[in-house]
Structures are given as C-alpha cells and as structure tokens.
Amino acid sequence: MELLEVLEKLIIPVATALAGYFVGRPKQQAEVEATNVENAGKVIEKWEGYVNRLEKDIEQLRAIIEDLNEGLRLANDDRVACTKTLSDLQGKYDDLMKLYNVLQLELKRIKDEKYIANAGN
C-alpha cells in the first residue's frame, strides 16, 4: 500500500506535470509565434500607410518645386528685361546730361555776349 500511496502522491503528479509541460509547450510556442506574425502584419500595414502618405507628400512637394522653379525662371526673365531697360535708360540719361551741359555752356555764352553787348552801349 505504501508504494501505491507514493505513486498517488508523488509520481503521478510529477508525471502529469511533465506530460502537460511537454504537450503544452509546443502549443504555447505556436501561439506566441502566431501573435508575433499578427503583430508583424500590423506593423507592416502601418508602415505601408506611412510610405503611401510620404509618397503623396513627395509628389506634392515636387509639384511645388516645379511651380517655384517656373516662377524663378519668369522672375529671372523679368530681371534680365529690367536690366536691359535700365541700361537703355542709363544711356539715354547720359546723352541728355551731355546735351544739358552743352546747353548750359551755350546759355552762359549767350548771356556773356548779351552782357558784353549791353556794357558796350
């Protein structure tokens, strides 16, 4: 009877625990792996969403950059035209200043002649 009691109290529970451990462990490991796969799938879906949003943002930025480059080209064309116009106006101004100086000299000469003519009378 003693052997039967030892079996009942010690060996059967230990054997049951060992059997449960070896049978349950693969199941638990499979559940962990399934959870890892599911979590990885969720992470991949999130990253795909981020990638799609970033691709849209990049396309929008490319369009903005194209518009800015076009605006810059037009502004540069305007600058070149303004520089040419300014250069032309500067040349005309220089010509007018030369004419003004010539006319000033001529006016002074005429005044001097009048003064001399009036002083002689």
Side-chain angles (χ1 to χ4, degrees):
M1 218 46 155
E2 229 175 86
L3 184 62
L4 192 55
E5 281 180 27
V6 169
L7 275 172
E8 278 180 18
K9 291 187 180 186
L10 183 63
I11 295 179
I12 292 178
V14 169
T16 304
L18 287 173
Y21 174 78
F22 287 114
V23 170
R25 182 174 168 105
K27 181 181 176 189
Q28 181 184 14
Q29 188 67 25
E31 288 174 355
V32 168
E33 287 180 18
T35 302
N36 288 343
V37 168
E38 185 178 319
N39 289 341
K42 289 178 183 177
V43 168
I44 290 171
E45 286 175 13
K46 275 191 171 191
W47 279 106
E48 284 177 345
Y50 294 145
V51 167
N52 290 335
R53 191 169 64 236
L54 288 175
E55 285 175 348
K56 288 177 185 175
D57 290 347
I58 288 170
E59 285 303 314
Q60 289 174 344
L61 291 173
R62 281 188 179 139
I64 290 170
I65 289 170
E66 279 185 34
D67 291 345
L68 290 173
N69 282 335
E70 180 64 19
L72 182 61
R73 187 187 62 74
L74 292 173
N76 193 41
D77 292 348
D78 287 346
R79 184 193 59 80
V80 169
C82 288
T83 301
K84 185 178 182 308
T85 301
L86 180 62
S87 177
D88 292 345
L89 290 173
Q90 186 69 42
K92 289 177 182 179
Y93 174 79
D94 291 343
D95 291 344
L96 287 173
M97 287 305 293
K98 287 177 188 175
L99 180 60
Y100 173 77
N101 289 332
V102 168
L103 291 174
Q104 286 289 337
L105 289 173
E106 185 66 22
L107 181 61
K108 185 175 188 302
R109 187 186 61 76
I110 291 172
K111 283 183 179 180
D112 287 345
E113 286 177 2
K114 251 186 180 178
Y115 179 70
I116 293 172
N118 285 339
N121 286 341

